[in-house]
Structures are given as C-alpha cells and as structure tokens.
Amino acid sequence: MPKIKEKRMEELPKLDNTLVYTDFDEQNPAPKGTWNSHVFEKDQPIVLELACGKGEYSVGLAELEPDKNYVGIDIKGNRVWVGATEALEKGLDNVRYLRCFIDHLDQFFGKDEVDEAWIVFSDPYLKKERKRLTAPKFLKTYRKVMKPDAVIHLKTDSDVLYEYTKETIEQEGLQLLDDDRDVHNNRPDDPKLSIITYYEEMHLEKGKTIKYLSFRLGD
C-alpha cells in the first residue's frame, strides 16, 4: 500500500465525522436507528450517497441542503478520507461518512430510517449484473432501511447501467420520477445535478454524456 494511502487509512477512524465498520462488531455497535439522535444530534431527513468514492456529492448536497443529514458510504477508506476531511474543513455538521459494505446496510440503519439515496458514478459491472447498485438484490437491501416512498437518484455516464436501471424499474413495477439522457446540456443550472465529481470530470473530458434517473423505491 502506498504511504499516502496507508496514512489516510490510519487517520480515517480518528476523524470526528467518520465511522468505520468493515465487519459486524458487537464491541463497537453501529448506530442503527440512532443516526439523528446520537450521530447528527438533530432530527432531519437522512440521505445516503452509496459508493460515495471521494464524497464530492455528499459534501456538495450537504452544502446545498443544510436541512438534511447526509451519509456517504463506501468500503474504500482512502477515498472516503478525501470527502470526510473536506467536510471537516468546511465545517459541515450535516454530513458523515461510513466505511462499510453496502449490502450490509441493514446492520447500520434501522427500518424506515433513510429517506433518500444517491448513486453517483458507481461501477456499472458490465459483466456482473448482480453487483450493480440498482440490481434487485440491492433494492431489497435498501427496502430494509429506507421509507416506502423513498427516492433513489442515479447519475452515470454508463449507457449499460442507465438502461439496466430503467429495465429494473419497469420489471419491479416502480415509479419512474425523472429521466434525462444528457443532464449537462438539458439542465446546466440545476444545482444538484451540476455537482461535478472527480470521475465525472474525467468522463466529460472524454466527451461522454451524463445520464440521470430518479425513481421511488416502493414497498
């Protein structure tokens, strides 16, 4: 492991806005059902950024919407460190980071505890549909922690993930709320969709169009 990554991994558990759980640990219980009361210490809608990478979206959204509590989630601690330290530098008290596996969300959040989720430039897993974060098995996991009327947002450069998610929405009988094949041309002034991540910037430089979907999770 490069020294900078090793240093960040050592620092990560010490950051005031970061919780690290790579496995279930009874000696270090997760704040399941108590995120608002014990972690944020303010009762506001909870929004997840799943596979948050360097956390640009959770930081950007937390700045735009101080009346919501944001949790960026990823297993890659080196990347989480970037978002967590930026949030601390900006003094954002409505964003936290959680290092854990996304398919273990129900170990860390209680039933109906989460109001909304963003999936931004996640790996499209071109050869492994089941690993895509909008696959039915993940939707099943989300339903364990999200409200029935919760909204999930997908922002991606991948045609495969975009089309797959639309098909999944239809097959699952979910409500498609929004569908845009080129958000930067069609909505240049949308404050949420105009947040640019590290990977998004690379995709845009290659001339790729950025697609967006939102849908209601349902029961």
Side-chain angles (χ1 to χ4, degrees):
M1 182 184 294
K3 287 187 177 180
I4 188 169
K5 287 188 177 181
E6 185 176 346
K7 183 175 183 293
R8 288 177 176 180
M9 293 297 287
E10 290 177 358
E11 291 178 356
L12 192 67
K14 302 173 185 177
L15 299 179
D16 290 341
N17 63 350
T18 304
L19 298 89
V20 176
Y21 299 94
T22 53
D23 201 356
F24 184 72
D25 183 358
E26 291 185 358
Q27 302 303 315
N28 184 25
K32 183 174 180 177
T34 65
W35 280 87
N36 277 340
S37 59
H38 287 76
V39 178
F40 291 103
E41 296 183 347
K42 54 183 174 180
D43 189 10
Q44 299 187 149
I46 295 176
V47 185
L48 308 183
E49 183 191 1
L50 301 171
C52 68
K54 295 185 177 184
E56 299 101 322
Y57 242 82
S58 24
V59 168
L61 290 171
E63 288 182 301
L64 288 172
E65 298 183 316
D67 58 342
K68 293 182 179 180
N69 291 331
Y70 285 89
V71 184
I73 301 172
D74 207 301
I75 193 59
K76 296 182 178 178
N78 175 56
R79 296 178 182 176
V80 170
W81 179 94
V82 176
T85 54
E86 182 180 0
L88 288 173
E89 289 169 0
K90 292 186 173 183
L92 296 171
D93 64 355
N94 65 321
V95 60
R96 298 290 188 276
Y97 286 90
L98 170 65
R99 184 179 180 228
C100 75
F101 293 102
I102 291 174
D103 52 359
H104 294 176
L105 280 182
D106 57 325
Q107 291 183 3
F108 307 104
F109 295 90
K111 180 175 173 56
D112 297 340
E113 190 169 16
V114 178
D115 296 81
E116 192 177 354
W118 283 78
I119 302 170
V120 182
F121 298 98
S122 63
D123 191 330
Y125 288 104
L126 300 181
K127 297 181 180 180
K128 298 179 181 179
E129 288 187 4
R130 292 186 74 254
K131 298 188 74 173
R132 296 171 187 166
L133 292 185
T134 54
K137 80 159 193 171
F138 279 102
L139 298 183
K140 184 177 180 180
T141 296
Y142 305 154
R143 289 189 181 100
K144 294 178 181 179
V145 303
M146 299 182 75
K147 293 180 171 63
D149 61 347
V151 174
I152 295 179
H153 307 264
L154 173 73
K155 191 179 179 188
T156 182
D157 69 299
S158 170
D159 291 322
V160 172
L161 182 57
Y162 168 77
E163 295 295 347
Y164 172 82
T165 302
K166 288 188 68 172
E167 291 172 6
T168 301
I169 290 169
E170 183 176 356
Q171 291 169 2
E172 293 271 321
L174 307 179
Q175 181 184 3
L176 178 64
L177 301 174
D178 205 340
D179 180 1
D180 196 325
R181 290 179 175 271
D182 191 350
V183 295
H184 288 298
N185 276 330
N186 297 335
R187 309 184 192 187
D189 299 321
D190 187 307
K192 293 184 183 180
L193 296 180
S194 296
I195 299 171
I196 305 294
T197 72
Y198 170 79
Y199 294 103
E200 183 172 3
E201 187 171 356
M202 290 196 302
H203 298 321
L204 290 170
E205 288 176 355
K206 294 177 182 178
K208 294 187 177 182
T209 56
I210 308 303
K211 291 157 277 289
Y212 168 74
L213 292 171
S214 67
F215 59 96
R216 206 170 295 283
L217 182 59
D219 295 321

